[in-house]
Amino acid sequence: MTTFGRGQKGKLDELGCGSNVDVHVALQLPAAAVDLSCFGLDAAGKLSDDRYMVFYNQLASPEGAVRVTLSPGAAVFHLNLSALPSSIERLVFTGAIDGASTMRNISPGSVRLGNAVTFPLAGSDFADEKAVILAEVYRRDGSWRFGAVGQGFNGGMSALLQHFGGTESAAASAPAPAAPAAPVAPAAKKISLSKITLEKRGDKVSLEKAQGQGFGRIRVNLNWNQRPQEAKTGFLAKLTGGQPKGIDLDLACFFELRDGRPGGVQALGNSWGNYDQLPYIHLAGDDRSGAVSDGENLYINGDRFDEIARVLVFAFIYDGVPNWAATDGVVTVTVPNQPPVEVRLDHGGAQPMCAIAMIENQGGKLQVTKLVDYVSGDSKASGHEVLSTKYGFKLNFRAGSKG
């Protein structure tokens, strides 16, 4: 693999990359989240079509030529350059932070173009900037090229958007109108940079559904640092193979229906739930090693939310890392046409289970409360039973395993 320095450029075909290529970005801060984005720009270097900003609030361009998979401190941008319209001449990859941190505080990071090029980054490369233009893939003389940029930028995500000529929505997005039947390109919409991060235990937010509508397909995503442990060397390497072990975090929930009936949805015991029928909650698969960059997803049927009283979202360490601090875990609750709600699994200890958030039906509103409450089982009760009792779910338990 070739290592690029700041300002170095190369043609994709000469680097051994085709029109389908992934751009991997890793950029972490010890105590803050970095928002990673891709701006699709026109020949004038402007975001003339806001649908080509791909980030946490818009995970793909209209035709899917640019898609992003996000995880804590990292992103993979999946590119299909041949599917991009001719109006898009440049894809610019950026990182931005909020709060008191600056780019000088970032841990060593990198931008990687497929398996061809890596561009290393370090906090010493920057000063007090709140954002950075990392790299770009651009079209020149009929061929696509990759450029390592690493340019610090004053201001955060909003300033980047303004720099590229985009338009920020003043508030959370309203429900989008129905797409026209004729194949007419829709007018560019304003970008909503809204994201709600529940900072402290007990912090909560209420979301309202549009009049006459339900909440739609609610996604609860758990993602985490997939391999935080360093590879071992020497004698330990002989015992373990020298490879870092992946983490198996399991996303799950306890629920209570409006009629008082409780239940659980989790991979343990193959209790996957059902999206279209009671309990209107479904766990979509089980990532046993952290190898799936999209993490684990729980879906709640928001159009049947009136039949649900509350949902306790929790996770437990089934295998791997012995403490939560090393996972850098984050749960994101995404409700259509609402800003995503983010809960980070901070202040972690060595307990195997974490009650992450409570999702409640409060008079028809969807309320999310940050819990981040770590618990352990004991000789008399499993961690699941302790958690159920603590939060008032009247459930019976028996030993189970994943099939």
Side-chain angles (χ1 to χ4, degrees):
M1 185 179 296
T2 302
T3 299
F4 270 18
R6 230 184 246 194
Q8 196 166 346
K9 303 174 181 180
K11 293 182 178 180
L12 263 58
D13 56 357
E14 293 178 356
L15 295 170
C17 299
S19 60
N20 287 277
V21 65
D22 290 345
V23 175
H24 301 253
V25 180
L27 204 64
Q28 296 185 347
L29 278 87
V34 183
D35 292 322
L36 300 171
S37 309
C38 174
F39 290 82
L41 308 180
D42 60 20
K46 296 298 181 182
L47 183 70
S48 54
D49 188 339
D50 287 341
R51 298 175 302 159
Y52 285 89
M53 180 180 173
V54 176
F55 70 126
Y56 59 79
N57 246 354
Q58 189 164 262
L59 299 177
S61 61
E63 70 297 291
V66 182
R67 296 177 293 109
V68 66
T69 301
L70 297 170
S71 57
V76 181
F77 294 93
H78 313 280
L79 309 183
N80 180 2
L81 299 173
S82 61
L84 278 173
S86 58
S87 58
I88 303 299
E89 292 283 335
R90 188 177 298 263
L91 301 174
V92 177
F93 305 93
T94 69
I97 53 177
D98 293 318
S101 293
T102 65
M103 283 296 164
R104 72 162 73 239
N105 302 125
I106 65 170
S107 300
S110 66
V111 179
R112 176 165 59 85
L113 177 71
N115 292 317
V117 175
T118 183
F119 171 38
L121 297 158
S124 58
D125 296 331
F126 306 103
D128 293 326
E129 301 97 332
K130 306 287 286 186
V132 59
I133 298 175
L134 298 164
E136 58 186 2
V137 172
Y138 60 99
R139 184 168 16 206
R140 177 172 293 174
D141 298 329
S143 65
W144 286 97
R145 307 170 187 230
F146 173 79
V149 181
Q151 174 189 340
F153 194 93
N154 292 326
M157 178 78 84
S158 182
L160 279 172
L161 182 61
Q162 184 177 5
H163 173 75
F164 290 124
T167 307
E168 183 178 355
S169 173
S173 303
V184 178
K189 60 183 178 65
K190 293 183 177 181
I191 284 287
S192 172
L193 299 182
S194 300
K195 181 172 67 170
I196 300 169
T197 299
L198 302 181
E199 299 285 356
K200 301 177 182 177
R201 293 171 178 168
D203 282 357
K204 58 188 65 179
V205 63
S206 292
L207 305 177
E208 295 189 38
K209 56 188 174 183
Q211 187 173 4
Q213 300 181 22
F215 284 105
R217 188 177 179 86
I218 302 166
R219 180 193 188 207
V220 181
N221 173 258
L222 168 67
N223 222 316
W224 63 92
N225 187 5
Q226 296 171 8
R227 293 188 178 274
Q229 300 170 339
E230 296 295 331
K232 298 177 177 64
T233 58
F235 176 70
L236 287 178
K238 296 179 181 178
L239 297 178
T240 64
Q243 295 300 318
K245 188 175 183 181
I247 306 169
D248 187 2
L249 292 187
D250 273 13
L251 177 66
C253 77
F254 296 143
F255 63 82
E256 181 182 344
L257 301 177
R258 296 291 288 180
D259 61 12
R261 283 181 291 170
V265 175
Q266 61 178 6
L268 196 65
N270 295 317
S271 300
W272 302 102
N274 193 306
Y275 183 82
D276 296 310
Q277 302 176 24
L278 287 172
Y280 304 113
I281 304 169
H282 175 61
L283 178 63
D286 171 33
D287 178 14
R288 300 191 181 192
S289 66
V292 178
S293 57
D294 196 35
E296 295 197 359
N297 294 286
L298 190 74
Y299 293 96
I300 302 172
N301 188 337
D303 294 330
R304 308 302 295 266
F305 194 66
D306 289 344
E307 300 187 47
I308 299 173
R310 58 183 181 138
V311 179
L312 172 64
V313 178
F314 67 92
F316 56 96
I317 300 174
Y318 188 80
D319 190 25
V321 70
N323 68 82
W324 290 94
T327 69
D328 192 24
V330 59
V331 161
T332 305
V333 180
T334 304
V335 179
N337 304 310
Q338 303 269 10
V341 179
E342 182 180 87
V343 177
R344 304 196 73 83
L345 279 61
D346 44 19
H347 310 297
Q351 301 92 330
M353 303 195 70
C354 178
I356 301 169
M358 186 75 78
I359 300 174
E360 297 175 275
N361 187 334
Q362 295 284 355
K365 296 181 180 180
L366 189 152
Q367 179 176 283
V368 183
T369 304
K370 178 173 181 174
L371 302 176
V372 190
D373 181 15
Y374 300 93
V375 302
S376 297
D378 52 36
S379 60
K380 297 180 180 179
S382 68
H384 284 76
E385 190 170 353
V386 170
L387 197 65
S388 170
T389 301
K390 185 171 185 177
Y391 287 93
F393 292 90
K394 300 175 181 178
L395 294 168
N396 297 316
F397 293 89
R398 59 181 174 81
S401 63
K402 296 195 283 187

